[in-house]
Amino acid sequence: MLALLGVTTLVLVAGAPWVLPSAAGETSLTSPQNVEVSIIDDTFILKWNGSNESIRNVTFSADYKTAEIGSWMKLPECQYITGTTCKFSSPEMNVYEEMELRVRAEKGNDTSPWTEVDSFIPFQQAQIGPPEVHLEPEDEAIIINISPPGTEDSIMWAVESSSFIYSLVIWESSSHVENRTETLNTITKIYELSPETTYCLKVKAGLRLQEKVALYSPVNCVTTTAKNKLPQPKNIQVIAKNQVYVLNWDYTYENVTFQAQWLPAYFKKGPENYSGKWKQIPNCGNVRTTQCVFPQSIFPRGIHFIRVQASRGNRTSFWSEEEKFYTDTQSLILPPLINMKPINNSLRVYIGAPKDPQNKSVHQHYPLIYEMIFWENTSNAERKIVKKTTDFTFTNLKPLTVYCVKVRALLEDEKWNKSSVFSDTVCEKTKPGNTSKTWLIPGICAMFFIPVVLYVVKLLWKFINYVFFPSSKLPYTIDEHFSEQSLKNLFLSTSEEEIERCFIIENIDTISTIETNHIDEDHKIYSSQTSQDSGNYSNEDESGESKTSEEFLQEGTVTGNEH
């Protein structure tokens, strides 16, 4: 593709000319060369270089083919053309599909070979043509009415017709200094001009999402009118207060009345003329002050324009400069109401809708997020948290401690950078929490468990002493018969079993009295041993042994008496 005179064109250069073999008396026809196609809006322009100029009465014809059709079709506007240029409108085809063109020379029944153009997509190849511009002068402004490129039933821009944006170049006719203004609407008003001054301008269109070659409109010039006796209002301003808007403006003249109108911004984005779409603002018609008040509910959420006009009798001023405002940013954002409730070692914050002077909840028609400032009452350290939800819980707090919180509302869209003032500070004390309960249960359990453990340990200690360390005190029945310490030590010693002593009495007469005592002593010894054996063996043995000793003693006594 080459650029030709500022217009992008599709150029195909044929190779060596095709020459038909000539017979005697026949003329040779060469194929068209340097075939070019350009598209402006819906108009196709096909150009080529002709065959040998010495051959007269040569005409040209062109065909086209698309993927949808699949076969070559004649272009009605380009059949038997005597020149080397052909214009035709968009055929009934899809401009987003590939298209092919071909051209040949013809004379009578003779034809040259076809010269074909490389396939191309019309929408990609198309240029944006110049828009139509109509100017309306005022004393200090010019109203520009722009018609989109192409025709009303344009095929090329059928989808993109509402996506056009416009660029303006304007200058004073006497100075030639250009001032550029971008992104105009179909109806645009240029302000701050001088009365009775000639201005010239040109406009071109573009697509928001497409980079395309665009052509400027022809230069248009217009002279502003003389200074109007009633100037237009200045410095339009909209202020939100509670649930109303207050519209203010500046004006120096007295004894005049004013009216204000509004227009949704989306009307300016369409190609239609929106001059008749302006609506009267309630409470702002025929007012004698430079202020009017109206409810916010008048405007739906979005972007709007407001304008004001002054009147005195039959005279009216031009409309003021249009003030653009956003309901999301112009509206006053009220601070939310908050409530805080302690839950164990946490505090839960509830965010509620603000209330108007009549104590009615106010619904704010835009998405909000909330910024919370949280701190311990005795500390200056603050925690900042931004949340979209209307309830939030601060966890892991100190028990029985006072914490405070304040909240403000912000627009969710950060680009507006608008917020309410902070709400009233709310403080609340946390509950004892789970800590005291955690220790209370083990404490109660310990009160009952420790005595039981001590009692079990005591019994265990007694059992160990009884088994491994028995008591060294003799039983009472033995201790009452043996009072001597040596005998007790004898019986307490268990390391070695004592051997029973036996005595043989040979002379009863001599030792009867002495032996009686001896026998008594032995009886005591024997009885002690018998008692000890009785403890180790059986009661039956003890009874038998005791009886034998007594009989022995009785027999010894009787014998002694006889002698």
Side-chain angles (χ1 to χ4, degrees):
M1 291 182 283
L2 300 176
L4 179 64
L5 299 178
V7 178
T8 304
T9 57
L10 184 65
V11 180
L12 278 91
V13 180
W18 290 83
V19 180
L20 293 176
S22 58
E26 293 184 356
T27 305
S28 300
L29 294 178
T30 59
S31 300
Q33 302 176 29
N34 301 327
V35 180
E36 302 173 356
V37 61
S38 61
I39 307 172
I40 300 176
D41 296 334
D42 290 278
T43 302
F44 290 69
I45 303 172
L46 189 61
K47 295 182 179 180
W48 61 87
N49 292 335
S51 58
N52 193 337
E53 295 181 359
S54 63
I55 302 177
R56 297 172 179 266
N57 301 324
V58 176
T59 60
F60 301 91
S61 296
D63 295 348
Y64 76 96
K65 182 174 68 173
T66 63
E68 183 178 358
I69 297 175
S71 61
W72 289 101
M73 303 291 293
K74 293 183 179 297
L75 283 170
E77 300 94 332
C78 298
Q79 296 297 314
Y80 308 111
I81 302 298
T82 57
T84 57
T85 300
C86 169
K87 292 184 179 181
F88 60 95
S89 59
S90 303
E92 296 297 329
M93 63 179 179
N94 187 343
V95 296
Y96 301 99
E97 290 185 351
E98 289 188 350
M99 178 181 183
E100 297 179 53
L101 293 173
R102 66 181 184 179
V103 183
R104 71 178 179 183
E106 300 169 338
K107 183 179 180 181
N109 294 328
D110 295 335
T111 59
S112 70
W114 292 98
T115 300
E116 296 185 8
V117 176
D118 289 341
S119 61
F120 61 95
I121 298 176
F123 181 80
Q124 294 180 353
Q125 188 67 25
Q127 305 169 55
I128 301 175
E132 293 185 6
V133 178
H134 177 69
L135 304 179
E136 297 180 17
E138 294 183 358
D139 57 351
E140 297 179 349
I142 297 176
I143 300 175
I144 305 173
N145 292 275
I146 304 173
S147 297
T151 59
E152 292 182 359
D153 55 352
S154 172
I155 297 177
M156 191 66 66
W157 313 126
V159 177
E160 285 75 18
S161 60
S162 60
S163 301
F164 281 118
I165 55 176
Y166 301 95
S167 301
L168 169 72
V169 178
I170 185 171
W171 64 93
E172 285 190 26
S173 178
S174 58
S175 66
H176 301 286
V177 176
E178 297 183 353
N179 297 317
R180 293 180 179 270
T181 304
E182 301 292 335
T183 61
L184 306 179
N185 297 306
T186 54
I187 300 179
T188 300
K189 195 171 184 178
I190 307 299
Y191 297 95
E192 300 180 358
L193 302 179
S194 301
E196 300 180 299
T197 305
T198 301
Y199 292 90
C200 296
L201 56 84
K202 58 183 180 180
V203 179
K204 72 175 180 178
L207 292 174
R208 288 187 174 89
L209 303 178
Q210 298 283 339
E211 292 185 2
K212 284 185 169 294
V213 175
L215 305 180
Y216 274 105
S217 66
V219 174
N220 291 270
C221 297
V222 68
T223 302
T224 54
T225 64
K227 182 72 174 180
N228 197 321
K229 293 183 178 181
L230 278 181
Q232 60 188 10
K234 303 283 187 181
N235 302 324
I236 309 300
Q237 185 180 25
V238 181
I239 301 175
K241 290 185 177 180
N242 296 328
Q243 294 302 297
V244 299
Y245 288 123
V246 179
L247 179 61
N248 297 298
W249 59 88
D250 295 338
Y251 205 74
T252 56
Y253 285 36
E254 297 179 354
N255 300 323
V256 294
T257 58
F258 304 93
Q259 65 169 331
Q261 295 180 343
W262 71 282
L263 176 76
Y266 62 82
F267 281 117
K268 291 194 173 188
K269 295 182 179 180
E272 298 83 7
N273 189 328
Y274 57 82
S275 299
K277 303 294 185 180
W278 288 90
K279 297 180 181 180
Q280 184 70 41
I281 298 177
N283 304 331
C284 295
N286 199 28
V287 296
R288 295 184 176 275
T289 62
T290 57
Q291 180 186 87
C292 66
V293 180
F294 54 95
Q296 290 187 10
S297 58
I298 295 298
F299 295 140
R301 182 187 171 198
I303 305 173
H304 305 280
F305 289 90
I306 289 180
R307 65 182 184 179
V308 182
Q309 185 183 56
S311 300
R312 179 189 288 173
N314 295 328
R315 295 180 179 179
T316 57
S317 70
F318 292 112
W319 286 103
S320 67
E321 184 173 351
E322 298 168 3
E323 177 67 17
K324 185 178 181 180
F325 80 100
Y326 303 83
T327 56
D328 290 352
T329 58
Q330 295 287 343
S331 299
L332 177 65
I333 302 178
L334 301 176
L337 298 179
I338 57 174
N339 182 28
M340 188 159 55
K341 181 180 179 182
I343 302 175
N344 296 331
N345 63 337
S346 303
L347 287 173
R348 188 162 188 175
V349 179
Y350 299 90
I351 303 174
K355 294 187 177 181
D356 59 13
Q358 288 76 32
N359 201 30
K360 295 181 179 179
S361 295
V362 177
H363 180 66
Q364 305 188 94
H365 302 275
Y366 24 79
L368 298 173
I369 57 177
Y370 300 95
E371 177 184 327
M372 289 176 276
I373 305 297
F374 185 79
W375 71 95
E376 187 179 339
N377 193 31
T378 58
S379 172
N380 294 326
E382 295 181 343
R383 293 169 57 184
K384 178 181 176 181
I385 298 175
V386 178
K387 290 288 183 180
K388 188 175 182 179
T389 56
T390 56
D391 62 278
F392 183 77
T393 302
F394 293 94
T395 58
N396 300 323
L397 303 178
K398 299 177 183 178
L400 300 176
T401 305
V402 177
Y403 291 89
C404 299
V405 67
K406 60 181 180 180
V407 181
R408 68 172 179 172
L410 302 89
L411 287 179
E412 186 175 358
D413 195 338
E414 296 181 354
K415 68 180 180 180
W416 304 125
N417 191 26
K418 190 174 181 66
S419 64
S420 71
V421 297
F422 275 102
S423 65
D424 295 334
T425 299
V426 175
C427 297
E428 191 65 49
K429 188 176 184 179
T430 55
K431 290 185 176 182
N434 295 327
T435 304
S436 58
K437 293 182 180 179
T438 303
W439 287 103
L440 182 61
I441 296 175
I444 295 173
C445 294
M447 292 176 62
F448 291 96
F449 184 71
I450 291 177
V452 174
V453 172
L454 293 177
Y455 181 73
V456 172
V457 171
K458 183 177 180 181
L459 292 179
L460 183 62
W461 179 253
K462 286 183 179 181
F463 177 77
I464 293 173
N465 286 335
Y466 180 78
V467 174
F468 297 99
F469 307 100
S471 175
S472 60
K473 186 177 180 180
L474 291 173
Y476 177 77
T477 55
I478 297 177
D479 187 67
E480 68 181 353
H481 292 90
F482 300 95
S483 60
E484 297 179 5
Q485 185 67 29
S486 60
L487 293 178
K488 293 181 179 181
N489 293 337
L490 177 64
F491 279 92
L492 290 174
S493 177
T494 59
S495 61
E496 182 179 346
E497 186 177 358
E498 295 291 335
I499 299 174
E500 184 178 0
R501 295 179 182 182
C502 297
F503 295 91
I504 299 174
I505 301 174
E506 294 179 357
N507 191 349
I508 300 175
D509 294 335
T510 305
I511 60 172
S512 60
T513 302
I514 299 172
E515 287 299 318
T516 300
N517 295 333
H518 182 71
I519 290 171
D520 291 337
E521 182 179 355
D522 289 342
H523 167 71
K524 292 179 182 180
I525 297 172
Y526 184 77
S527 298
S528 301
Q529 290 174 346
T530 303
S531 299
Q532 184 177 4
D533 291 341
S534 174
N536 294 331
Y537 298 102
S538 67
N539 292 330
E540 183 180 357
D541 293 338
E542 181 182 3
S543 300
E545 292 298 331
S546 298
K547 182 178 181 182
T548 303
S549 299
E550 290 176 357
E551 290 175 356
F552 177 78
L553 290 174
Q554 290 177 0
E555 289 177 359
T557 303
V558 172
T559 304
N561 292 330
E562 289 179 358
H563 287 283

